[in-house]
Amino acid sequence: MFEKVKDQYASIGVDVEKALEVLAGTPISLHCWQGDDVGGFEGGDGELGSGLAVTGNFPGKARSIDELQQDLEKVLSILPGKHRLNLHAIYGDFGGKKVERDAIEASHFQGWIDWCKSQGIGMDFNPSCFSHPKADDGLTLSHPDEAIREFWITHCQLSRKIAAEAGKQLGSAAVTNVWVPDGMKDLPADRLGYRERLKSSLDRIFTEKLDQAHNIDAVECKLFGIGSESYVVGSHEFYMGYAIQNQTALCLDAGHFHPTETIADKVSSVLMYVPELLLHVSRGVRWDSDHVVLFDDQTQAIMQELVRCDALARTHIGLDFFDASINRIAAWAIGTRAAQKCLLLALLEPAKLLREAELAGDYTTRLALLEQSKAMPWAVIWEAFCERNNVPGELDLLSEVKDYESKVLSQRV
Ligand code: RNT
Ligand code: ZN
């Protein structure tokens, strides 16, 4: 079957083995926060705030680093390919002690670095500028109070150093993504002032030059959030300008724009001016709801653009969703595999024929080819990829997850 399908693809100019090679070589950064509803291990009350909201209380969430690692190992075992871990600063190993965010050190993350090493995967990192009394005003790096700004500046500076240490030890640069919730529920009187302060805070954070082989800086924009409906300091224009001026990576989160605006169309423009892209592949439903990623039009369009722009080498693909209403392992696995399936479909596009038709002005052929490629037996290739990687195919995925639920998750009471 596989060989026959391969020939079919060859007849439209697609090299399936080449596509699978690229797919296998494209890691997805697994966001640790799907495993425990963005709780972290600081030992606080777990209040999220800052516009982040997780709904649902499906039993079995990870309550410790050990449990989270156990869950991640399960997820990695049912994903084809090699991936990465995306860690937030609140997930450090603080040994039961109160460690303030402006006092975190690489030692608090050595266990995670070692775990990544044992899994043969790289790590990415995020300062956590939320779920904290000093973020309760809805402002962090742009806060009018200098002491509060300093606190978060230090947190971000330390985060970069921790990331660089992880990148160094793991032999693969860590992407450090700065996202802050700063914004206002109601109309601000001084939009500019907050943006000026955010810019100068970021300048301070990025002053220390770190080896790009160990750390890559990224900044993430947002349109609005719960409690920041009228104004977000770090808007798209703000961060696009910042990333261009400072040549940092720009993070595009699929849920951070107007509901009908897609990030797929931004890839080609942004990459003309910024060196690298970080994606938070997510699914907003009516708002930035962070639903589990699906094999849907939006995600397909994103992956199509990465392939068509030959942008995979300059793009870091991360996930950003958190659903507590279903089995969290399933959420991770379904979402990650959906992103991978979309990438596969993009890699199997008859790219050469499509371009030829377009350049010749033959838009009829272009449209027909697009529809044709959707009807090609791409799922046979996906199943073969899973088999080669010794992971369950689509039909066996659910029972694997359910088995883990009854043996492990249901025991967590
Ligand atoms: C929030 C941003 C941010 C967070 C994570 C937890 O709107 O998308 O990326 O979701 O850092
Ligand atoms: Zn995000």
Side-chain angles (χ1 to χ4, degrees):
M1 176 94 126
F2 178 63
E3 292 302 321
K4 210 178 128 210
V5 173
K6 241 164 74 169
D7 289 344
Q8 248 174 299
Y9 272 106
S11 76
I12 53 168
V14 177
D15 182 342
V16 167
E17 290 299 343
K18 182 90 223 333
L20 290 182
E21 219 173 276
V22 177
L23 185 63
T26 307
I28 312 272
S29 197
L30 299 181
H31 52 317
C32 69
W33 53 95
Q34 165 56 50
D36 75 331
D37 316 337
V38 209
F41 302 120
E42 286 183 322
D45 58 6
E47 271 277 343
L48 204 45
S50 299
L52 302 170
V54 186
T55 51
N57 55 359
F58 198 87
K61 86 166 165 191
R63 296 161 302 178
S64 64
I65 294 182
D66 283 347
E67 287 183 354
L68 191 58
Q69 289 177 349
Q70 184 186 17
D71 290 355
L72 279 161
E73 281 168 30
K74 180 67 203 179
V75 175
L76 287 170
S77 79
I78 52 180
L79 296 177
K82 271 243 169 283
H83 299 286
R84 302 176 65 85
L85 171 70
N86 194 10
L87 205 63
H88 245 290
I90 50 176
Y91 286 77
D93 183 358
F94 304 115
K97 287 197 271 301
K98 174 88 196 145
V99 176
E100 255 312 342
R101 304 244 182 123
D102 61 351
I104 52 169
E105 293 170 12
S107 63
H108 300 128
F109 298 88
Q110 192 56 50
W112 279 111
I113 298 172
D114 293 341
W115 180 82
C116 284
K117 204 175 287 166
S118 76
Q119 301 296 311
I121 65 175
M123 189 202 275
D124 298 309
F125 203 74
N126 307 260
S128 310
C129 303
F130 52 83
S131 304
H132 190 280
K134 285 192 164 62
D136 279 352
D137 294 336
L139 298 166
T140 61
L141 292 177
S142 72
H143 204 292
D145 180 338
E146 195 189 337
I148 293 187
R149 283 203 309 279
E150 283 302 317
F151 176 84
W152 292 114
I153 289 170
T154 305
H155 176 61
C156 292
Q157 288 170 335
L158 294 175
S159 292
R160 287 178 80 224
K161 288 200 203 178
I162 292 164
E165 179 60 26
K168 188 172 159 198
Q169 288 190 34
L170 295 170
S172 166
V175 180
T176 305
N177 180 48
V178 175
W179 171 74
V180 293
D182 298 35
M184 296 211 168
K185 181 184 178 74
D186 225 324
L187 297 169
D190 181 17
R191 288 175 188 267
L192 178 61
Y194 296 94
R195 291 192 168 131
E196 285 173 338
R197 283 191 292 275
L198 177 55
K199 181 184 182 301
S200 78
S201 292
L202 291 169
D203 289 347
R204 293 266 315 283
I205 291 165
F206 298 132
T207 299
E208 185 176 349
K209 292 286 158 248
L210 298 174
D211 190 339
Q212 293 253 42
H214 302 151
N215 174 72
I216 296 166
D217 295 307
V219 288
E220 181 180 8
C221 72
K222 191 165 176 170
L223 177 69
F224 77 96
I226 302 175
S228 60
E229 290 85 355
S230 302
Y231 171 64
V232 169
V233 184
S235 62
H236 179 49
E237 292 71 16
F238 177 90
Y239 277 126
M240 173 111 184
Y242 194 87
I244 292 171
Q245 193 170 57
N246 298 281
Q247 291 297 292
T248 68
L250 184 70
C251 174
L252 296 175
D253 183 310
H256 285 195
F257 295 86
H258 285 284
T260 56
E261 190 178 357
T262 63
I263 62 168
D265 186 42
K266 301 184 191 300
V267 171
S268 52
S269 299
V270 162
L271 278 177
M272 287 174 66
Y273 304 104
V274 302
E276 287 176 56
L277 207 59
L278 167 63
L279 296 183
H280 273 186
V281 183
S282 188
R283 176 166 57 105
V285 177
R286 302 192 191 280
W287 67 289
D288 180 32
S289 62
D290 293 290
H291 279 66
V292 177
V293 166
L294 296 179
F295 181 73
D296 58 7
D297 289 352
Q298 266 229 31
T299 315
Q300 287 173 29
I302 293 168
M303 298 304 169
Q304 257 171 15
E305 279 307 304
L306 296 185
V307 173
R308 291 177 182 182
C309 298
D310 198 14
L312 284 170
R314 290 166 64 199
T315 306
H316 308 271
I317 307 177
L319 304 167
D320 189 6
F321 53 80
F322 24 98
D323 192 337
S325 71
I326 59 173
N327 178 313
R328 293 171 185 79
I329 311 304
W332 253 325
I334 291 169
T336 313
R337 288 168 62 117
Q340 288 188 285
K341 281 183 277 182
C342 289
L343 177 58
L344 174 62
L345 191 68
L347 291 164
L348 293 174
E349 228 181 35
K352 194 164 162 282
L353 296 182
L354 278 166
R355 258 172 224 235
E356 279 169 8
E358 181 164 292
L359 283 176
D362 183 358
Y363 302 152
T364 310
T365 298
R366 184 182 63 184
L367 191 65
L369 282 172
L370 278 177
E371 281 303 279
Q372 213 180 73
S373 51
K374 287 183 203 160
M376 291 285 284
W378 64 270
V380 172
I381 311 288
W382 171 251
E383 291 296 328
F385 184 62
C386 290
E387 205 179 301
R388 279 186 192 181
N389 281 273
N390 267 316
V391 302
E394 292 299 295
L395 290 180
D396 299 322
L397 185 68
L398 186 61
S399 59
E400 277 265 351
V401 173
K402 291 272 187 196
D403 183 56
Y404 187 76
E405 185 177 318
S406 67
K407 290 200 179 109
V408 181
L409 301 181
S410 67
Q411 309 304 312
R412 293 180 188 166
V413 278

